[in-house]
């Protein structure tokens, strides 16, 4: 196994910025909280900017100046709340998602997707049409540990709210703290240099690079949205039986083509393998053991030099590797929710910072892996986890007592409108907009453009 040091990059150094400092712009109330969410956001975007410049230097292009703009970064990290469809805001969480009192504390549930809602209700013995009040009554009569166990066994998502010390001392917590911020493993397979592709420029250093995107929700799509911003051709593939939340895709689908493909079908698998034969990067956001993940592990045999990138809720080599999870769930179980809450109820970071920061860190690692491949030839595996990013945030000394309430940046210079959809502009300040707005989910052909 190699470390991030083998890529000559100190990603922790990108994030370890005092708040405020002369070289770091002041953020005021943007992403304000007890934990340094603003520093994590700025640092993760700076990591992408640095990686893009290292790639420019590797191909003989002039690096771009890096200027962090807190308003743009905060707007991008708060993309779900900046989003407008037909002029109207979009609800971030479904009725059965959120914090609930239990017989001995609190749990946090995630039921935004219909199949997760159905599993949660089934695990608790509730009917399919149960509302929030029914769920509240059910959970209030149960201990938190029982709820977490029932949900896990049913493939639903509900976790016990823990404090940071309990989490740090637990087996999954230790795995999160012990894992590198970005896990990098270099392979020995020789790269295949693509021919006849677009020529990179300082604005598009990834031009000619093909990225297969097998990610959902936020973190993975943010990573691939960033790769598209840097010039890569990104093709997102989704199973037809698991539709994406439309508003979520409007916020993270910029610059990509998006197709539906059933990998369980022999014809779909053949199409996937054909696409993989011409891909340079495979980004996967499915849990270990899933079909897409298994195909990803086998991919380098078909595509020497392939860069394989993985984003997950929990560290891939920890005891919770196979569990489902989301940003809000990691915040709840890692202690962040209690830190950001008050004496009455748990709270949350001012945005889904773990998702977005992990996405930018993964994008930076992919760009650096591609730079390394250009120089040395081997393929590379890179991975991040939301719990690992949370561990950095919890370990940071830059906490605030009694922080001011967080404020959203004003629209205008931080947002862009295409048709009926308004979204945040890119977090990278050198780009006024994405190369294209999000296309309707799953409406493209599963082929390279």
């Amino acid at each position: 196994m190699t470390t991030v040091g083998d890529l000559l990059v100190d990603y922790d150094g990108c994030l370890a910025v005092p708040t405020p400092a002369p070289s770091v712009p002041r953020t005021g109330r943007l992403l304000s909280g007890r934990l340094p969410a603003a520093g994590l956001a700025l640092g993760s975007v700076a990591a992408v900017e640095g990686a893009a410049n290292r790639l420019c230097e590797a191909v003989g292009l002039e690096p771009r100046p890096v200027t962090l703009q807190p308003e743009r970064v905060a707007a991008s990290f708060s993309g779900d709340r900046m989003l407008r469809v037909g002029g109207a805001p979009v609800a971030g969480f479904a009725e059965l998602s959120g914090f609930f009192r239990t017989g001995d504390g609190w749990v946090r549930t995630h039921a935004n997707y219909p199949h997760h809602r159905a599993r949660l209700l089934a695990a608790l013995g509730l009917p399919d049409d149960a509302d929030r009040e029914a769920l509240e009554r059910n959970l209030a009569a149960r201990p938190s540990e029982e709820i977490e166990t029932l949900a896990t066994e049913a493939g639903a998502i509900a976790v016990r709210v823990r404090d940071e010390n309990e989490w740090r001392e637990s087996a999954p917590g230790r795995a999160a703290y012990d894992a590198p911020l970005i896990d990098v493993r270099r392979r020995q397979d020789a790269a295949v240099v693509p021919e006849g592709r677009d020529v990179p420029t300082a604005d598009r250093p990834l031009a000619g690079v093909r990225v297969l995107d097998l990610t959902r929700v936020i973190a993975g799509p943010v990573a691939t949205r960033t790769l598209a911003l840097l010039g890569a051709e990104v093709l997102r593939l989704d199973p037809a039986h698991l539709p994406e939340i439309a508003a979520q895709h409007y916020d993270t689908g910029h610059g990509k083509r998006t197709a539906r493909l059933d990998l369980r079908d022999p014809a779909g698998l053949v199409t996937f393998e054909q696409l993989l034969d011409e891909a340079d990067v495979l980004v996967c956001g499915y849990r270990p053991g899933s079909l897409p993940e298994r195909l990803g592990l086998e991919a380098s045999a078909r595509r020497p030099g392939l860069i394989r990138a993985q984003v997950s809720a929990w560290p891939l080599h920890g005891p919770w590797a196979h569990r489902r999870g989301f940003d809000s769930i990691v915040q709840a179980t890692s202690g962040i929710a209690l830190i950001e809450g008050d004496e009455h109820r748990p709270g949350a970071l001012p945005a889904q910072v773990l998702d977005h920061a992990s996405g930018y860190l993964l994008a930076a690692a992919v760009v650096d892996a591609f730079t390394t491949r250009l120089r040395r030839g081997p393929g590379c595996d890179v991975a991040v986890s939301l719990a690992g990013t949370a561990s950095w945030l919890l370990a940071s000394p830059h906490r605030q007592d009694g922080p001011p309430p967080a404020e959203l940046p004003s629209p205008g210079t931080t947002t862009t409108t295409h048709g009926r959809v308004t979204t945040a502009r890119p977090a990278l300040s050198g780009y006024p907009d994405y190369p294209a707005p999000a296309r309707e989910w799953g409406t493209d052909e599963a082929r390279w453009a």
Side-chain angles (χ1 to χ4, degrees), residues 284-291 293 310 312 316 321-325:
C284 189
Y286 293 85
R287 293 173 299 117
S290 65
L291 177 57
E293 196 266 348
Q310 175 83 33
S312 58
L316 295 178
H322 291 80
R323 289 199 184 192
R324 294 168 174 84

Side-chain angles (χ1 to χ4, degrees), residues 197 204 206-212 227-228 231-235 255-257 447-449:
R197 303 278 185 88
R204 304 178 68 245
L206 288 178
V209 175
R210 287 176 170 170
V211 178
L212 266 185
L227 299 177
E233 178 185 352
V234 178
L235 175 60
K256 313 173 192 178
R257 293 171 59 253
R447 62 176 179 81
W448 296 114

Side-chain angles (χ1 to χ4, degrees), residues 152 286 396 417:
T152 300
Y286 293 85
S396 172
T417 299

Side-chain angles (χ1 to χ4, degrees), residues 392-407:
W392 179 90
L393 194 61
L394 288 163
S396 172
H398 303 296
R399 296 192 183 189
Q400 295 187 75
D401 291 326
E407 293 181 352

Side-chain angles (χ1 to χ4, degrees), residues 93-115:
F93 288 95
E95 178 191 25
L96 302 190
S97 296
F99 290 109
F100 292 86
R101 282 193 179 276
T102 68
D104 59 356
W106 292 86
V107 293
R108 176 134 196 177
T109 64
H110 194 289
N112 285 10
Y113 287 94
H115 58 290

Side-chain angles (χ1 to χ4, degrees), residues 297-315:
L297 292 175
E298 300 167 358
S300 61
R302 297 186 57 87
R303 184 66 170 165
L306 182 73
I307 296 166
R308 302 184 304 205
Q310 175 83 33
V311 59
S312 58
W314 317 105

Side-chain angles (χ1 to χ4, degrees), residues 27-41:
T27 57
R29 293 191 173 191
L30 298 175
L31 300 177
S32 173
R34 291 190 175 92
L35 295 170
L40 174 60

Side-chain angles (χ1 to χ4, degrees), residues 35 159-168 170 173 176-177 314 320 327-339 349 354 386-391 393-394 399:
L35 295 170
V159 294
R160 180 166 60 88
V161 174
R162 296 163 169 80
D163 66 41
E164 60 180 315
N165 292 325
E166 181 186 358
W167 172 248
R168 186 191 294 264
S170 69
Y177 275 93
W314 317 105
W320 279 19
D327 183 309
S328 59
I329 296 300
V330 175
Q331 288 190 44
T333 197
S334 67
I336 291 175
L338 291 181
I339 293 171
L349 294 170
L354 305 181
L386 305 188
T389 303
S391 297
L393 194 61
L394 288 163
R399 296 192 183 189

